[in-house]
Amino acid sequence: MDVLKRVNRELNQEMRKQVDLIYSAAAIAFARYWDKGWGPERIRRIFDKTLETWNECGATNQISMIQMLENESGIELRIPNMDKGWRELAYLNAQIDMGQMSVAQMIYMRQRQKKWIGAMLMACLFLSLHRKYGFGKDRLVRLMGQIYEIETEYNFDRKKLVAACRTEAGVNLQHKFGG
């Protein structure tokens, strides 16, 4: 199999996994801890908004989702066990002309992005909440803690989280990210 195709497939698989984990936990958090206005329809609307935000970022490759979140809300997302933030990583903070990249550069970039895909999806969700509902730093940090707590409660088990999302929040996730 072509290495670039394999790396792209692995990135998409990781994206689907992270969407299930993060968005299921977020839906459960809204159903459990937030006011009654966060029913299944509102949760689905914010997930639709995240797709618009994701596509906005991906349309230009001029700014990463993580940078967009920080610019607009003041929150800098990092990933555990990583000593570098988005500023130190070219594939998260630079204009990238994908057409000018060699296959080796593209493979390297995709492998590195795989480690950051969860943070990018979280940034997308948070940016959408910030834009659509005016969530500020305090509410976003609170939600981040709730998401992590719920992921931990379900031992990061993707299938159990998706099932709980359906039963607790009334939301059936549909994959719209990553092709």
Side-chain angles (χ1 to χ4, degrees):
M1 175 185 277
D2 179 71
V3 176
L4 183 57
K5 285 181 183 177
R6 179 181 54 81
V7 171
N8 283 328
R9 188 187 76 235
E10 289 171 359
L11 181 64
N12 283 331
Q13 287 172 337
E14 183 65 20
M15 181 176 296
R16 286 189 295 276
K17 174 185 166 191
Q18 291 299 322
V19 165
D20 284 350
L21 294 173
I22 293 166
Y23 288 74
S24 290
I28 294 166
F30 282 127
R32 282 184 185 175
Y33 305 121
W34 296 75
D35 67 45
K36 296 297 178 205
W38 282 97
E41 189 56 38
R42 189 174 188 194
I43 293 169
R44 280 190 286 272
R45 280 197 312 269
I46 198 60
F47 290 166
D48 288 343
K49 178 68 176 164
T50 62
L51 180 60
E52 291 173 24
T53 305
W54 182 268
N55 289 336
E56 172 192 339
C57 178
T60 66
N61 287 320
Q62 292 183 11
I63 186 170
S64 77
M65 190 59 64
I66 295 167
Q67 184 179 356
M68 287 173 70
L69 174 66
E70 186 172 339
N71 289 350
E72 292 186 35
S73 75
I75 293 178
E76 178 187 359
L77 288 181
R78 289 186 169 253
I79 60 172
N81 305 318
M82 177 67 127
D83 60 343
K84 294 181 180 177
W86 65 265
R87 287 177 190 81
E88 293 90 23
L89 302 169
Y91 54 88
L92 291 176
N93 73 2
Q95 285 186 328
I96 298 173
D97 183 351
M98 306 285 257
Q100 298 297 319
M101 294 178 77
S102 71
V103 171
Q105 289 171 319
M106 184 70 86
I107 291 168
Y108 178 80
M109 180 184 75
R110 292 294 189 222
Q111 289 171 331
R112 302 288 109 23
Q113 285 175 329
K114 186 176 169 187
K115 294 178 182 178
W116 282 85
I117 200 70
M120 290 189 293
L121 288 165
M122 188 82 80
C124 182
L125 173 62
F126 288 176
L127 184 58
S128 298
L129 287 163
H130 177 73
R131 288 176 172 178
K132 187 168 178 81
Y133 297 113
F135 272 45
K137 196 171 189 175
D138 291 343
R139 286 198 291 175
L140 292 173
V141 168
R142 185 173 103 204
L143 178 61
M144 185 184 316
Q146 292 166 343
I147 289 170
Y148 180 73
E149 177 186 303
I150 291 165
E151 288 175 330
T152 303
E153 174 187 336
Y154 285 93
N155 201 29
F156 296 87
D157 185 311
R158 182 179 180 180
K159 289 181 181 177
K160 288 180 182 177
L161 269 164
V162 169
C165 180
R166 277 192 300 273
T167 57
E168 282 195 53
V171 175
N172 187 19
L173 290 181
Q174 298 175 359
H175 293 283
K176 298 176 181 180
F177 293 88

